[in-house]
Amino acid sequence: MSSCYITTPIYYVNAEPHIGHTYTTVLADTIARYHRLTGDETFFLTGTDEHGEKIAEVAAQRGVSPQEISDQNSDAFRSTWDRLGFSYDRFIRTTDPDHVETVQRILQQVHDAGDIYFKEYDGLYCVGCERFLTERDIEDGLCKDHERAPEQRVESNYFFKMSEHFEWLAGHIEANPDFIRPERYKNEALAMLRDESGLGDLCISRPKERLEWGIELPFDANYVCYVWFDALINYLTGAGYPDGPKFSERWASAQHFVAKDILKPHAIFWPIMLRAIGLEPYRHLNVHGYWNVDARKVSKSLGNMISPLAMQEQYGFEAFRFFLLRDMVFGLDSNFSEEALVARVNSDLANNLGNLVSRTLNMTARYAGACVPACGPTDVLEDEVAAAVPVAAGKVAQHMQRCEIHRALEAIFELVDVVNRYLEQRAPWKAAKQEGTEQLVATTLYTSCEALRCIALLLAPFLPATSATILERLGLAGALDGAHILDDACAWGRSKAGTPTTKGAALFPRLDPPAREDA
Ligand code: MSP
């Protein structure tokens, strides 16, 4: 059995979960579910990043301790993820004792190996990014990402010898084209490495006189660890480093999911840190674009956040989840609007999928006594439907390997179209009114129930609740328990005649377009 280790970024606890955090977690959840259904031993990690100046700053503004803010907001993330049904295996907090211990152990190890030195540093620091900026990060005197002015800082600190590994890293990235993907981010990482003036060594400490909220350096009690050095190590703690029984297999299959804002720490700092620790680099860094609202990145500082719980309340989470997965092209930015969401849900879910489910099950109730009928002799039309299933499954497998979720969904919905067209051609509602057509109607309904079973299985990673409902209505509750489920999707003919089916209410009622404020 292969291992599969999937991570999201750990989110800062200075903000409530919004569409951006939700997207990365939906994406990772979908990939994790997909791997579980193919039989891989999957471990899915998410959590919160709690140390550092950003959090200390918000706590000070609100007059509470950083620990209190962390507890509150970490709970907000976890309970939101639970309400949305994400299938994470561990929710890690950087204040968890095993993580603090792992970070200190690694700091000591890297220090003992001579890879950390002490010096005075003078630079421009952005608290939003929690790092010293380079010229590339600044536009009109402001941090490009946070639109705030960085501060000039002179400080004595500990540095991690990063620059001596740039050549090795560039070689590793070149030699492994899917190490950082899609390609545009691989190229961006290589450009960062070429432009060495902007990188240098990594400052990994903060003096306690300025910041106390962090993990103390094991070799100097006057300093805490820089938040990114601490945060990246969560991926090791979460996998059970150093001696957890599954650590090695997990690490060998590690895939990180992040947005492009944190490319540099993941593409540059992290592989070099791993090399200093004596570990192999992760397997893949999967980098997606931003969700924008009115062409600006969603963020707390810009005040344009979309709450996943509000979306769940308004549209149901599966509809929101579907929109996020279907409308973002992996690697590119996407614009969020409720109009686009409603249009997508109405066309794909209410019309195509919803219609196929309701007419198949309504006709099975009406013409076959609410049981899957026995399949009679088949013809070329049925053969076409049966042949379309492995084609769709093959495309799904291929696109999922590359994280091209929108294309995987496109392939499943092409299959939905094939079955809808088949029903139009066979028109069992007309055939049923004629004499001697019982077998034809039964075969048509068998074929559509069977295709629907396959579609529901294929959809399980993307729309887990909808998939479970369709299977339940086909009398196949529990079909998703167990391994190698996706192989069942391609095994045409598994539906058994006589299995009781239920009609049920519309899966996705048509949504009204959102009221316009200027209307
Ligand atoms: N704490 C660090 C990550 C440490 S990982 C070792 C951090 N946290 S964050 O709360 O700012 O989350 C950033 C991540 O949230 C992005 O990389 C992305 O996964 C997600 N998103 C936040 N805003 C986003 C958009 N507007 N669009 C898409 N995803 C974005 O950085």
Side-chain angles (χ1 to χ4, degrees):
M1 191 191 298
S2 338
S3 253
C4 173
Y5 178 40
I6 305 265
T7 72
T8 71
I10 45 172
Y11 303 110
Y12 286 130
V13 285
N14 65 341
E16 306 265 302
H18 60 58
I19 182 177
H21 312 122
T22 308
Y23 175 69
T24 316
T25 315
V26 164
L27 178 62
D29 181 69
T30 302
I31 301 275
R33 286 177 188 272
Y34 175 78
H35 280 276
R36 281 191 203 105
L37 293 177
T38 60
D40 289 345
E41 184 165 335
T42 304
F43 191 80
F44 171 23
L45 181 75
T46 186
T48 45
D49 187 357
E50 307 185 6
H51 294 123
E53 282 180 58
K54 211 196 268 277
I55 314 305
E57 204 178 60
V58 175
Q61 280 160 9
R62 298 202 201 149
V64 295
S65 69
Q67 185 68 59
E68 274 172 86
I69 288 272
S70 298
D71 289 347
Q72 268 169 25
N73 287 345
S74 182
D75 276 358
F77 270 97
R78 190 196 307 242
S79 63
T80 302
W81 288 176
D82 289 344
R83 284 173 67 179
L84 303 180
F86 293 143
S87 63
Y88 63 83
D89 295 290
R90 174 166 175 186
F91 187 98
I92 193 169
R93 302 182 55 182
T94 50
T95 47
D96 285 343
D98 64 339
H99 177 69
V100 173
E101 194 187 307
T102 302
V103 170
Q104 288 186 323
R105 178 203 303 259
I106 288 173
L107 280 164
Q108 189 65 55
Q109 181 197 335
V110 176
H111 186 254
D112 291 349
D115 289 332
I116 290 177
Y117 64 92
F118 192 66
K119 77 159 190 193
E120 186 167 90
Y121 189 79
D122 185 352
L124 289 172
Y125 194 85
C126 171
V127 177
C129 296
E130 289 280 23
R131 63 182 171 86
F132 285 100
L133 301 184
T134 66
E135 275 168 29
R136 278 165 163 263
D137 302 316
I138 300 172
E139 200 170 67
D140 300 329
L142 302 179
C143 163
K144 280 189 198 160
D145 271 358
H146 294 91
E147 301 181 16
R148 74 188 251 182
E151 299 162 25
Q152 189 77 39
R153 286 191 183 172
V154 183
E155 243 173 39
S156 289
N157 269 308
Y158 286 91
F159 286 77
F160 168 55
K161 289 186 191 164
M162 200 164 65
S163 45
E164 57 191 51
H165 299 288
F166 290 164
E167 221 179 288
W168 162 79
L169 181 56
H172 183 80
I173 296 173
E174 302 271 19
N176 298 278
D178 60 358
F179 179 56
I180 300 171
R181 56 191 188 180
E183 199 181 358
R184 57 198 294 137
Y185 298 111
K186 173 189 116 179
N187 295 337
E188 231 177 85
L190 287 170
M192 287 176 195
L193 285 169
R194 270 197 303 274
D195 177 21
E196 286 185 30
S197 59
L199 279 168
D201 287 336
L202 182 66
C203 176
I204 55 144
S205 65
R206 296 294 179 264
K208 275 200 190 159
E209 59 202 31
R210 183 153 63 72
L211 176 74
E212 284 198 20
W213 180 237
I215 299 178
E216 191 177 286
L217 296 190
F219 45 84
D220 189 339
N222 293 315
Y223 285 85
V224 296
C225 179
Y226 167 50
V227 62
W228 268 104
F229 198 90
D230 156 359
L232 288 161
I233 291 173
N234 94 83
Y235 300 134
L236 293 181
T237 313
Y241 179 80
D243 44 21
K246 305 256 172 79
F247 173 72
S248 305
E249 295 100 287
R250 279 184 194 151
W251 191 250
S253 69
Q255 298 202 45
H256 303 307
F257 287 84
V258 298
K260 61 186 182 181
D261 53 341
I262 51 178
L263 177 66
K264 188 187 283 179
H266 284 83
I268 314 285
F269 305 174
W270 185 221
I272 296 180
M273 285 169 65
L274 288 164
R275 185 164 158 87
I277 301 167
L279 290 169
E280 287 296 310
Y282 50 76
R283 188 86 173 267
H284 302 294
L285 177 64
N286 304 307
V287 187
H288 64 77
Y290 289 151
W291 280 100
N292 294 322
V293 173
D294 301 330
R296 301 188 86 191
K297 185 190 172 201
V298 179
S299 81
K300 179 163 174 144
S301 41
L302 299 176
N304 59 348
M305 311 202 301
I306 305 284
S307 148
L309 293 179
M311 289 293 114
Q312 180 180 40
E313 174 92 17
Q314 172 97 24
Y315 300 109
F317 187 61
E318 295 260 313
F320 183 54
R321 177 177 173 120
F322 182 75
F323 175 74
L324 295 180
L325 291 173
R326 181 65 186 80
D327 271 53
M328 182 170 263
V329 175
F330 181 50
L332 303 183
D333 290 355
S334 226
N335 205 51
F336 176 81
S337 76
E338 291 188 51
E339 283 83 359
L341 183 152
V342 166
R344 174 61 78 187
V345 169
N346 282 346
S347 77
D348 287 9
L349 298 182
N351 289 356
N352 285 3
L353 179 66
N355 192 20
L356 176 63
V357 172
S358 68
R359 57 188 187 167
T360 299
L361 293 170
N362 284 340
M363 287 190 290
T364 306
R366 183 173 313 160
Y367 306 126
C371 285
V372 176
C375 186
T378 57
D379 200 340
V380 64
L381 290 184
E382 283 74 29
D383 297 347
E384 273 170 13
V385 175
V389 172
V391 171
K395 287 187 188 169
V396 169
Q398 188 191 338
H399 297 313
M400 291 305 267
Q401 290 312 327
R402 299 187 185 158
C403 302
E404 292 173 339
I405 305 267
H406 68 289
R407 302 186 76 185
L409 279 171
E410 215 168 57
I412 300 176
F413 279 79
E414 278 165 15
L415 177 59
V416 173
D417 284 342
V418 166
V419 189
N420 270 326
R421 272 200 307 271
Y422 164 75
L423 276 174
E424 294 297 329
Q425 281 167 309
R426 282 281 183 238
W429 51 90
K430 283 190 200 146
K433 292 186 186 132
Q434 291 154 20
E435 294 286 306
T437 56
E438 289 79 5
Q439 257 205 345
L440 180 65
V441 171
T443 300
T444 307
L445 292 179
Y446 180 87
T447 305
S448 44
C449 284
E450 176 59 356
L452 201 51
R453 177 187 72 84
C454 302
I455 289 168
L457 291 173
L458 289 173
L459 275 176
F462 311 88
L463 294 175
T466 304
S467 160
T469 306
I470 299 174
L471 290 166
E472 230 173 80
R473 291 185 189 176
L474 286 169
L476 299 170
L480 291 171
D481 306 337
H484 305 290
I485 300 299
L486 288 180
D487 294 346
D488 293 350
C490 294
W492 185 263
R494 288 252 168 117
S495 285
K496 288 201 180 64
T499 309
T501 62
T502 20
K503 285 198 288 189
L507 277 185
F508 292 96
R510 274 187 73 80
L511 298 170
D512 292 329
R516 298 199 62 90
E517 273 171 25
D518 54 358

